[in-house]
Amino acid sequence: MTRKIAVLAGDGIGPEVVGEAIKVLNRIDTSFEFEHALVGGAAYDDGGHPLPQSTLDLCRKADAVLLGAVGGPKYDKIQPPELRPEVGALLPLRSELNLYANVRPAKTIDALSSSSPLREGRGKMDLVVMRELTGGIYFAKPRERRDGGDTAVDTCIYRRHEVVRIAERAFEIARQRRNEIVSVDKANVLETSRLWREVVTEMAGQNQDVKVSHMLVDNCAMQLVRDPSQFDVILTENMFGDILSDEASMITGSLGLLPSASLSDPKDGQVFGLYEPVHGSAPDIAGQGKANPIATILSTAMMLRYSFKDNEGALRIERAVEQVLNEGLRTADIMSDGCRPASTIEMGDAIADCL
Ligand code: IPM
Ligand code: MG
């Protein structure tokens, strides 16, 4: 099995956190091949486009992609908006590489439970948001201004096959967890949601080992705060998943620790994917050794699990992170009384040494 990893470090703290993730991967196995390419603002500065063709080509030749973060205030005003790092790099990476299944686990970590805004008595949260990532209102045309700029149009389209494939991935993930899916939509209003619910209901009939229920998105937002422990897998469309995954990640109290995977079609039990931390490029602390590399390191654990069929390696990384946190090592973002401060590199070293 080849293990080529395209590394897109990107902007802000991206290069720092990606550096630590590579350190950890090298400790797991020395046979990974890393090839670096520019993305985001860094690529825009270099050649005028946030996603150069050469970067896309490198990703296509790789078995997995490791992404840091893109964007920053310097790039927020670029015109046209299609050339801004988020829209001009992230969205086309997702669609060009067919990364339709976005897996965003959100789990409270015992050592950090005091930083959750919900704190005591609400039960533990351990859920995965399965977000459809290449369809819906993010991608459908037309998207335009009319009437001399006074009318704006965004279109939401879903096709049956797009719902089927993300739901299939959700059933697979649910089977590795607690066998429960809550499918989230807005079927009381939206036609795309009625199609979504119809398809998921049919599939639930064919997959009766998994318990499937349906929830409207506004209710889901409320239920997440009321009792997040009720959820196992949340299956939902692109924009609802964007919003709910931010909400879920905040409930863990440790946004800086959450990994994510964006996956394509599985082939022979292996799947091409892009792995990145949920947090952004944090330009305010870039280059100062303050960034928390844990989310990116945990993203490499997801990479081992999904793209390289190495569940054992993934567990080793996850246990190493847990151990280092239990021992009281903390980067600035998760610092609390009685803990020992660590820089980005010190945190990466400590986790690598645990392996
Ligand atoms: C995310 C981000 C992106 C999204 C933005 C930056 C385009 O919020 O990955 O959740 O909305 O998908
Ligand atoms: Mg988001």
Side-chain angles (χ1 to χ4, degrees), residues 86 90 94 104 131 138 242:
E86 293 84 353
L90 284 186
R94 292 170 182 174
R104 295 187 169 183
R131 169 188 176 193
Y138 274 60
D242 179 44

Side-chain angles (χ1 to χ4, degrees), residues 4 12 61 79 105 163 165 172 176 187 199 206 255 263 310 316:
K4 270 207 205 95
K61 278 187 284 174
Q79 287 294 349
V163 186
R165 63 185 184 176
E172 286 160 13
Q176 294 159 20
V199 173
Q206 298 147 11
L255 185 57
L263 307 175
D310 180 9
R316 280 177 65 203

Side-chain angles (χ1 to χ4, degrees), residues 73-280:
K74 190 178 157 197
Y75 309 105
D76 286 346
K77 296 202 169 62
I78 294 174
Q79 287 294 349
E82 286 72 36
L83 289 180
R84 290 180 199 157
E86 293 84 353
V87 181
L90 284 186
L91 298 192
L93 264 176
R94 292 170 182 174
S95 59
E96 291 291 323
L97 300 175
N98 196 31
L99 303 171
Y100 62 82
N102 186 215
V103 188
R104 295 187 169 183
K107 186 176 172 184
T108 42
I109 296 178
D110 285 344
L112 298 176
S113 56
S114 62
S115 35
S116 165
L118 297 184
R119 280 184 267 275
E120 276 62 80
R122 302 297 167 97
K124 277 198 194 172
M125 165 163 107
D126 180 359
L127 61 81
V128 171
V129 178
M130 282 297 284
R131 169 188 176 193
E132 199 291 325
L133 199 60
T134 53
I137 203 161
Y138 274 60
F139 288 97
K141 305 272 185 300
R143 163 178 302 154
E144 62 187 25
R145 279 293 178 93
R146 294 177 189 161
D147 309 335
D150 287 340
T151 302
V153 181
D154 292 291
T155 313
C156 188
I157 301 179
Y158 268 105
R159 298 171 181 85
R160 170 173 286 270
H161 78 92
E162 293 173 312
V163 186
V164 168
R165 63 185 184 176
I166 183 72
E168 280 170 350
R169 302 289 85 72
F171 279 105
E172 286 160 13
I173 297 247
R175 286 195 181 95
Q176 294 159 20
R177 297 176 48 92
R178 303 190 299 273
N179 285 297
E180 283 189 31
I181 293 177
V182 175
S183 174
V184 174
D185 60 41
K186 189 71 186 172
N188 53 347
V189 178
L190 301 176
E191 201 55 44
T192 42
S193 282
R194 284 191 279 272
L195 172 66
W196 184 280
R197 193 175 281 218
E198 192 181 299
V199 173
V200 174
T201 302
E202 277 171 36
M203 292 176 72
Q206 298 147 11
N207 294 273
Q208 296 198 3
D209 55 323
V210 177
K211 180 175 164 242
V212 178
S213 57
H214 303 270
M215 196 179 270
L216 297 174
V217 63
D218 47 350
N219 184 29
C220 181
M222 189 264 279
Q223 294 294 340
L224 268 171
V225 177
R226 194 182 69 80
D227 175 18
S229 70
Q230 69 183 287
F231 295 103
D232 180 16
V233 176
I234 292 178
L235 163 63
T236 193
E237 64 104 71
N238 203 342
M239 190 157 77
F240 299 159
D242 179 44
I243 299 166
L244 294 175
S245 62
D246 263 31
E247 186 185 355
S249 63
M250 190 61 226
I251 292 169
T252 67
S254 49
L255 185 57
L257 272 60
L258 299 178
S260 76
S262 303
L263 307 175
S264 185
D265 278 318
K267 240 185 252 142
D268 312 321
Q270 224 177 316
V271 53
F272 176 82
L274 179 148
Y275 301 84
E276 60 178 320
V278 166
H279 64 68

Side-chain angles (χ1 to χ4, degrees), residues 264-312:
S264 185
D265 278 318
K267 240 185 252 142
D268 312 321
Q270 224 177 316
V271 53
F272 176 82
L274 179 148
Y275 301 84
E276 60 178 320
V278 166
H279 64 68
S281 62
D284 51 320
I285 58 161
Q288 301 170 31
K290 289 184 184 166
N292 186 345
I294 291 180
T296 317
I297 290 171
L298 289 174
S299 300
T300 65
M302 294 187 86
M303 177 188 287
L304 293 184
R305 180 169 290 131
Y306 295 120
S307 286
F308 296 127
K309 272 187 163 172
D310 180 9
N311 202 39
E312 184 49 38

